[in-house]
Structure formats: structure tokens, C-alpha cells
């Protein structure tokens, strides 16, 4: 009876693991499927967790095999896990580093979740080096809190909008800032503004693309609008930060970075350690599993995401982005 129970459990794990792995592999390779339905988009969010169903399937295989073959099953398990673990290990030092010119630009980006983010915790993240705040789901109530705390005096220049729902987006800057372009017809505010920091001109974008819940078509169209927004500035010092409502493997993010004009500053580079930093959800019993908050930049920009910080009241992690212009 025990042997039969083990066999039934093994087959259950094996079939479940194989089917789930197959689904995620297909979604990783055939990104056109992501635009079919928001359920497909949600399923594709788990692509970075492909190792879990693979592990489940391998354990099931070990349980199904006869005793003398289980060593082979264990070898398959070790090999499968190595495929996922080895790319996360440090690869050694880079041989050469590009050279930056001028000072750095530091941006703090955070989705405030309807303005509910804890102001004191946000204030603690605003170190003296922070030049710009890029805030999504910016509300009039949160703006009042910023004013009461004296933060608006530190960042007297701002462009964007405040709204009582999720559509408000705002750039708060220590230096004068001017709107260069806005998207039209998107669910939330997306804009690019210009500013000059330490003699270097920057194009900064605060991005909040539509979530899948609004429909696959809206999700796809919003991301395409962000791409069109950025296109005229791909030869400039351009930095886009915010809630893109998509992981790297989603169709929309792949299309944004496919042409080479934009690259993900949070993507793991040679010589780095583990580079998977999920940013959502942070306000749930479910651990964060999706990195949907990004920093995209042109080749003219050097740097990366220096830190990911959890803020009470928000369901997103804050991103602290430090960049410089390339010579």
C-alpha cells in the first residue's frame, strides 16, 4: 500500500510538473500568446519561476522510478537545477568599464498604491543624493502629505498630475523640469520631461502602463504607446522608470527592448551576483514574485538600480536608480 501511494504521488507530481513546465516554456517562447487574454498574461508572469514545476516533475520522476533507477532520476534533478542556478552565480569581473562624464543622476521611483505609501518611510529613502522622485498613483492627498513634511520644498519643480484613482503620475525635481512629451489615450499618465543636473541634460520618463486586468488589448496598446513616447529620444540621455506592469519575459517588455534602443538597467550583467529582484506584490501573504517595476535607459546612459526598498502601504518596492552619462 505504501509503495502504491508513493507511486500515485509520484505520477501526480510528474504529470503536474511536466504540464506546468510545458505551459511556461511555450509562453516564454511564443510571446504573441500574451495578447490573447489577461489570464494568459497572468500565467506568463510565472515564467521566472519555471524552476518550481521542473523541480516538482523531477521529484515525481524519482518517486515513479524503480529503486535501481532512482539514482538516474536524482541525476536528472541535479542537472535540471544546475541549468537554473549556474546563470545566477557570479561570472567574474568585467574586463573593462565604460567611462562616464559629469555627475550622477539619482532617481527614486515608487508606485504609491493610491497614495497609501507610508510618508515617513518614503522620506527615509530620499537621501541627499536623490535628484528626482518619479511617483506613480500620485494623489492629491499624498501631495498634501509631501507639502506638510517639507518635501515639496526640497523638490520645488514638478510635472505630471495628481488624481484620486491610480492614474496620477508625477516627477518631482530639485532642478527645473519641463514636459517634453506625453502619451495620449493611455489608462494612466505617462510622460517624459527634461532637466539639467550638474551640467548634463536628461530626458526622464515616469511610466505607469495599464495592468492586465484592464484587458489584454489595453495592456498591449499602452505598452506600445510607451514605446512611441520614447522613440524620439533614443539618441539622448533617456531614463524611463516606473511600473510597467510586465516582467522582462512578457511580450510588451521584450518589444520595448527588442530594437536595442532601450535596455533594462536592472537586468543582470556579467560579473554580477543574483539579479532576480521581484518588486510585486509586497502587501500580501504571497511573497513578491514579479519584477514589474523597471528602469530602462538608452546606450548613452550608464548605471543601474542601486537598491530595492519595501515601503509600508504600497504593493510595490521602490527603486533607487543611479546613472551617469556616457562619454
Amino acid at each position: 500500500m505504501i509503495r502504491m501511494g508513493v507511486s500515485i504521488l509520484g505520477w501526480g507530481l510528474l504529470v503536474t510538473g511536466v504540464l506546468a513546465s510545458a505551459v511556461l516554456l511555450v509562453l516564454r517562447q511564443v510571446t504573441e500568446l500574451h495578447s490573447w487574454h489577461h489570464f494568459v498574461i497572468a500565467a506568463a508572469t510565472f515564467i521566472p519561476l519555471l524552476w518550481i514545476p521542473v523541480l516538482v516533475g523531477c521529484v515525481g520522476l524519482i518517486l515513479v522510478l524503480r529503486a535501481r533507477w532512482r539514482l538516474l532520476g536524482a541525476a536528472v534533478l541535479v542537472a535540471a537545477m544546475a541549468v537554473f542556478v549556474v546563470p545566477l552565480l557570479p561570472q567574474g569581473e568585467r574586463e573593462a568599464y565604460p567611462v562616464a562624464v559629469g555627475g550622477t543622476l539619482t532617481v527614486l521611483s515608487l508606485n504609491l498604491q493610491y497614495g497609501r505609501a507610508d510618508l515617513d518611510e518614503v522620506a527615509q529613502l530620499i537621501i541627499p543624493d536623490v535628484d528626482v522622485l518619479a511617483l506613480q498613483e500620485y494623489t492629491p492627498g499624498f501631495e498634501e502629505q509631501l507639502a506638510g513634511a517639507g518635501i515639496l520644498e526640497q523638490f520645488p519643480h514638478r510635472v505630471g498630475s495628481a488624481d484620486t484613482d491610480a492614474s496620477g503620475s508625477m516627477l518631482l525635481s530639485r532642478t527645473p523640469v519641463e514636459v517634453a512629451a506625453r502619451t495620449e489615450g493611455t489608462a494612466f499618465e505617462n510622460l517624459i520631461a527634461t532637466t539639467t543636473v550638474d551640467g548634463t541634460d536628461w530626458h526622464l520618463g515616469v511610466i505607469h502602463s495599464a495592468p492586465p486586468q484592464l484587458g489584454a488589448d489595453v495592456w498591449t496598446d499602452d505598452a506600445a504607446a510607451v514605446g512611441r513616447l520614447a522613440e524620439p529620444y533614443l539618441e539622448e540621455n533617456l531614463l524611463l522608470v516606473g511600473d510597467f506592469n510586465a516582467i522582462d519575459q512578457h511580450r510588451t517588455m521584450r518589444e520595448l527592448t527588442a530594437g536595442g534602443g532601450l535596455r533594462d538597467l536592472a537586468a543582470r550583467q556579467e560579473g554580477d551576483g543574483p539579479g532576480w529582484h521581484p518588486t510585486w506584490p509586497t502587501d500580501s501573504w504571497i511573497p513578491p514574485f514579479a519584477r514589474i517595476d523597471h528602469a530602462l535607459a538608452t546606450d548613452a546612459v550608464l548605471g543601474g538600480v542601486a537598491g530595492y526598498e519595501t515601503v509600508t502601504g504600497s504593493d510595490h518596492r521602490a527603486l533607487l536608480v543611479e546613472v551617469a552619462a556616457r562619454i
Side-chain angles (χ1 to χ4, degrees):
M1 291 295 293
I2 295 178
R3 181 177 299 177
M4 181 179 296
V6 170
S7 180
I8 293 173
L9 175 63
W11 279 110
L13 294 176
L14 178 60
V15 172
T16 300
V18 169
L19 290 178
S21 298
V23 169
L24 293 180
L25 283 170
V26 169
L27 291 177
R28 187 170 71 174
Q29 297 302 123
V30 189
T31 58
E32 291 79 6
L33 297 175
H34 300 177
S35 298
W36 280 11
H37 195 277
H38 67 273
F39 286 155
V40 180
I41 301 171
T45 304
F46 293 93
I47 291 175
L49 302 179
L50 175 60
W51 65 272
I52 294 179
V54 170
L55 175 61
V56 169
C58 288
V59 171
L61 177 63
I62 292 173
L63 296 178
V64 167
L65 292 173
R66 294 180 180 272
R68 64 176 180 269
W69 290 103
R70 285 181 180 169
L71 186 59
L72 174 61
V76 172
L77 172 60
V78 171
M81 290 302 99
V83 170
F84 294 99
V85 172
V86 169
L88 296 178
L89 298 177
Q91 302 296 316
E93 298 295 329
R94 300 186 185 98
E95 294 183 0
Y97 291 84
V99 179
V101 60
T104 60
L105 170 74
T106 303
V107 179
L108 178 67
S109 173
L110 175 63
N111 183 314
L112 301 169
Q113 194 180 16
Y114 300 100
R116 298 171 186 160
D118 185 274
L119 178 64
D120 291 337
E121 294 185 18
V122 173
Q124 291 176 8
L125 299 178
I126 304 175
I127 58 178
D129 290 340
V130 171
D131 301 294
V132 178
L133 307 179
L135 304 176
Q136 307 96 57
E137 300 194 17
Y138 186 85
T139 63
F142 194 80
E143 185 167 72
E144 291 179 3
Q145 293 184 60
L146 290 175
I151 294 176
L152 292 187
E153 296 178 5
Q154 302 176 45
F155 298 86
H157 310 282
R158 59 186 185 271
V159 292
S161 63
D163 211 326
T164 55
D165 58 17
S167 62
S169 296
M170 186 69 69
L171 278 175
L172 302 169
S173 177
R174 297 186 191 272
T175 54
V177 63
E178 183 178 348
V179 173
R182 278 187 166 98
T183 56
E184 295 183 2
T186 51
F188 309 131
E189 173 93 87
N190 297 273
L191 63 87
I192 291 177
T194 59
T195 191
T196 301
V197 179
D198 294 332
T200 301
D201 295 331
W202 292 94
H203 288 75
L204 303 176
V206 55
I207 304 300
H208 191 191
S209 295
Q213 298 92 308
L214 296 184
D217 290 342
V218 176
W219 178 77
T220 304
D221 291 345
D222 257 31
V226 170
R228 293 192 297 271
L229 176 72
E231 188 173 3
Y233 309 102
L234 296 182
E235 301 299 323
E236 309 292 340
N237 296 326
L238 172 65
L239 174 66
L240 306 179
V241 295
D243 175 10
F244 287 73
N245 270 304
I247 65 171
D248 289 341
Q249 294 85 355
H250 272 133
R251 175 184 180 182
T252 53
M253 288 302 297
R254 288 189 181 184
E255 290 181 346
L256 276 173
T257 57
L262 290 171
R263 73 187 193 285
D264 189 349
L265 296 184
R268 183 173 180 273
Q269 304 294 325
E270 183 182 356
D272 292 341
W276 186 57
H277 299 280
T279 63
W280 178 91
T282 60
D283 65 340
S284 171
W285 61 270
I286 303 174
F289 64 88
R291 185 166 66 86
I292 61 176
D293 300 270
H294 301 271
L296 304 184
T298 56
D299 284 339
V301 177
L302 301 174
V305 177
Y308 299 81
E309 302 292 341
T310 300
V311 177
T312 303
S314 173
D315 55 346
H316 292 249
R317 283 194 172 125
L319 273 61
L320 188 66
V321 186
E322 296 180 356
V323 294
R326 186 195 301 264
I327 288 182

